Amino acid sequence: MHTRWRRQQHKRNPRGCKQVWRPINRSAPPPVAVPVALAVPTVDFLNLSMEGASWSDDDETDINRKGTGFFFPNLEIIEMDNNQEENPVSIDILPDDLHERILSDLPLSAIFKASSVCKRWNQIIHSKKFTLKDASLLSEKPWYFMFTSSIEPVGYLYDSGMRKWYNFELPFMVHHTWNIAASCGLVCFMDDETSKVMYICNPISREYEILNIPPSPGFPVYSALAFSVDQSKSKYTISIIRSMQASDDFLLWNVSIHVYDSKERTWLTPVIGAMQGWRPGDVSVICDNVLYILVFCTRPNEVQNFHGLITYSLDNIEPSMGILKDESVILAPCALTCGRLMKVQGKLVLVGGIGRVNRPGLIKGVGIWVLDGRTWTEITRMPHKFVQGFGELDDVFASSGGGDLIYIQSYGGTALLIYDMNTRQWFWSQKCSMHKKFPLEIFSGFCFEPRLQFM
């Protein structure tokens, strides 16, 4: 049903003449007019779908009721005399600069919805001029995309600024076993099982490109992915760390580091080396052009903290890294489980479960540390009430961070806990309406900074 929206009569309007907002399509008979103010609709009053992605809002008071609110189609100002036919005057007469100012004042999620309001807004929002202003106009906190082990590329997107969940669909299928790394609005996806292709994607604009993964001399037992975007140089860097057991000696591992430079559009000559007593896992991150790799001790009972950290500068890449020495390893602050590295507030941050003294595999809490030189400084520990709030947290959980926020999620449920590094506060996200389709279904996710432009 198409609804006619009236604007309250202004004192300067000619007698018998008034201004109203109404849909362009006049085929349906007009119902009773409802007075509203002349304003651009906000995110709370929009519910529409873009091609390949759903942006319906979940009502916070009733998580089973979706798409609440109103969708305003393309509107036009008209003047109507009581005794004359309607003469439409389109808002297209406004200059593009004024349209840009209107759109730039909206929350980011509302901007995406506004692109479906009319063709002109769609062109403005996707224009290079508008997207280049994105970094200065919009300062959004990182969002979180949660998905399951479903065979469909669908999930729920959490807008941390508006504290809302949206139905969302990625442009390709992603599995919870994939390696995923994000930086400055872009997300890198690597299929760890096939190790053939990877995707560089902007989940918001749905733009992506496909890269071939460099071949491996053998079958890697562990693979780690790191990804970093340098906006000042309009380039990104990818690193893949592969580790394979060198021989029957479990202590010696062969390691290769593959680096991709988007400016050169090529994979550089891989760095080859070996590790004695340590091996990389599946966790790494790039911070200030330094590659940080979380490693695991292969000499049990020799050290109390089984995890450590090694660094590799990407400014001076050499084809050989030799054999890793113990003194180059930065030991973890405690016995860790589910350790994750991330760049938050421009610093290297470690999040992990704090293992028990006698049983390191079982956690007694979750901690957050920041690396200062070669020393870990504990920032906070998750309050016990939040640990209990997960229900199925145990010793298996995921974490990711960016900007000022750190997200922690249990693989067994949809509970999403957030820590704000700026305010030093813990809080839950709004409840997500995603449910398990079968008892052993796994939930996973990643956070990223929402941006309009691809690079």
Side-chain angles (χ1 to χ4, degrees), residues 211 234-239 258-268 314 317:
L211 298 180
S234 298
K235 59 172 287 189
Y236 58 80
T237 301
I238 305 170
S239 71
H258 306 260
V259 178
Y260 181 84
D261 188 332
S262 65
K263 279 290 186 183
E264 302 294 334
R265 301 195 65 83
T266 185
W267 290 93
L268 307 179
L314 298 178
I317 299 178

Side-chain angles (χ1 to χ4, degrees), residues 102-314:
I102 294 172
L103 294 170
S104 63
D105 286 336
L106 294 175
L108 191 57
S109 54
I111 291 178
F112 304 131
K113 294 180 177 183
S115 66
S116 298
V117 170
C118 65
K119 183 178 180 180
R120 187 175 184 186
W121 278 10
N122 183 279
Q123 292 174 343
I124 291 175
I125 290 172
H126 292 92
S127 67
K128 187 175 182 180
K129 178 183 177 183
F130 188 81
T131 55
L132 286 176
K133 294 180 180 179
D134 176 30
S136 59
L137 292 176
L138 306 168
S139 56
E140 296 280 345
K141 290 181 177 293
W143 293 5
Y144 193 86
F145 179 72
M146 184 183 297
F147 61 99
T148 69
S149 50
S150 170
I151 59 174
E152 299 178 352
V154 296
Y156 278 69
L157 189 64
Y158 182 68
D159 179 346
S160 55
M162 302 296 295
R163 302 202 69 184
K164 285 181 174 291
W165 288 95
Y166 306 105
N167 296 314
F168 197 74
E169 179 179 343
L170 292 175
F172 44 79
M173 180 61 208
V174 177
H175 199 262
H176 70 277
T177 60
W178 285 25
N179 294 103
I180 303 174
S183 178
C184 295
L186 297 184
V187 185
C188 183
F189 302 89
M190 183 177 73
D191 185 352
D192 194 27
E193 294 182 355
T194 62
S195 296
K196 293 182 180 179
V197 297
M198 65 170 51
Y199 300 87
I200 312 300
C201 177
N202 182 330
I204 299 301
S205 68
R206 301 180 56 79
E207 297 176 281
Y208 68 94
E209 61 183 27
I210 302 176
L211 298 180
N212 291 323
I213 299 178
S216 175
F219 184 77
V221 180
Y222 298 95
S223 297
L225 174 69
F227 179 66
S228 178
V229 175
D230 187 340
Q231 287 187 310
S232 63
K233 298 180 180 179
S234 298
K235 59 172 287 189
Y236 58 80
T237 301
I238 305 170
S239 71
I240 302 175
I241 302 95
R242 292 168 169 163
S243 56
M244 295 166 284
Q245 193 171 344
S247 61
D248 294 335
D249 182 5
F250 185 71
L251 299 180
L252 185 64
W253 288 75
N254 290 330
V255 179
S256 61
I257 302 176
H258 306 260
V259 178
Y260 181 84
D261 188 332
S262 65
K263 279 290 186 183
E264 302 294 334
R265 301 195 65 83
T266 185
W267 290 93
L268 307 179
T269 303
V271 179
I272 306 296
M275 293 187 180
Q276 181 74 37
W278 298 87
R279 60 132 178 101
D282 58 357
V283 178
S284 65
V285 70
I286 298 174
C287 185
D288 295 331
N289 218 32
V290 175
L291 176 62
Y292 295 89
I293 307 170
L294 198 65
V295 294
F296 183 81
C297 182
T298 57
R299 296 189 296 258
N301 302 324
E302 290 191 16
V303 293
Q304 181 179 0
N305 300 343
F306 297 108
H307 285 87
L309 184 71
I310 61 173
T311 64
Y312 186 83
S313 175
L314 298 178

Side-chain angles (χ1 to χ4, degrees), residues 4 6 14-18 20 22 78-88:
R4 176 180 303 171
R6 297 182 182 274
R15 182 173 300 177
C17 181
K18 51 191 172 183
V20 297
R22 65 173 202 138
I78 64 170
E79 292 187 351
M80 184 173 61
D81 192 290
N82 292 335
N83 300 321
Q84 296 181 0
E85 295 184 358
E86 302 172 358
N87 298 316

Side-chain angles (χ1 to χ4, degrees), residues 254-432:
N254 290 330
V255 179
S256 61
I257 302 176
H258 306 260
V259 178
Y260 181 84
D261 188 332
S262 65
K263 279 290 186 183
E264 302 294 334
R265 301 195 65 83
T266 185
W267 290 93
L268 307 179
T269 303
V271 179
I272 306 296
M275 293 187 180
Q276 181 74 37
W278 298 87
R279 60 132 178 101
D282 58 357
V283 178
S284 65
V285 70
I286 298 174
C287 185
D288 295 331
N289 218 32
V290 175
L291 176 62
Y292 295 89
I293 307 170
L294 198 65
V295 294
F296 183 81
C297 182
T298 57
R299 296 189 296 258
N301 302 324
E302 290 191 16
V303 293
Q304 181 179 0
N305 300 343
F306 297 108
H307 285 87
L309 184 71
I310 61 173
T311 64
Y312 186 83
S313 175
L314 298 178
D315 289 326
N316 301 307
I317 299 178
E318 299 180 359
S320 176
M321 62 181 294
I323 297 179
L324 176 74
K325 297 180 180 180
D326 286 347
E327 53 265 29
S328 63
V329 178
I330 303 172
L331 293 180
C334 64
L336 288 177
T337 63
C338 299
R340 294 292 184 271
L341 299 173
M342 58 197 72
K343 182 180 179 181
V344 183
Q345 291 186 332
K347 303 175 182 178
L348 180 72
V349 173
L350 171 65
V351 179
I354 303 173
R356 301 179 185 273
V357 177
N358 298 328
R359 303 181 64 183
L362 297 178
I363 66 173
K364 59 181 179 180
V366 176
I368 299 176
W369 300 267
V370 171
L371 185 65
D372 183 9
R374 293 180 58 87
T375 304
W376 292 105
T377 301
E378 183 174 314
I379 299 299
T380 185
R381 293 194 182 190
M382 183 188 298
H384 187 64
K385 65 177 181 179
F386 290 110
V387 178
Q388 291 179 317
F390 275 105
E392 300 181 55
L393 180 63
D394 296 329
D395 60 340
V396 181
F397 62 93
S399 59
S400 62
D404 296 329
L405 303 183
I406 296 174
Y407 291 91
I408 300 177
Q409 175 198 348
S410 169
Y411 286 122
T414 60
L416 183 63
L417 185 62
I418 306 171
Y419 180 71
D420 192 320
M421 290 278 288
N422 189 34
T423 63
R424 297 291 193 267
Q425 292 181 339
W426 294 90
F427 55 93
W428 295 105
S429 73
Q430 298 301 108
K431 189 174 181 180
C432 180

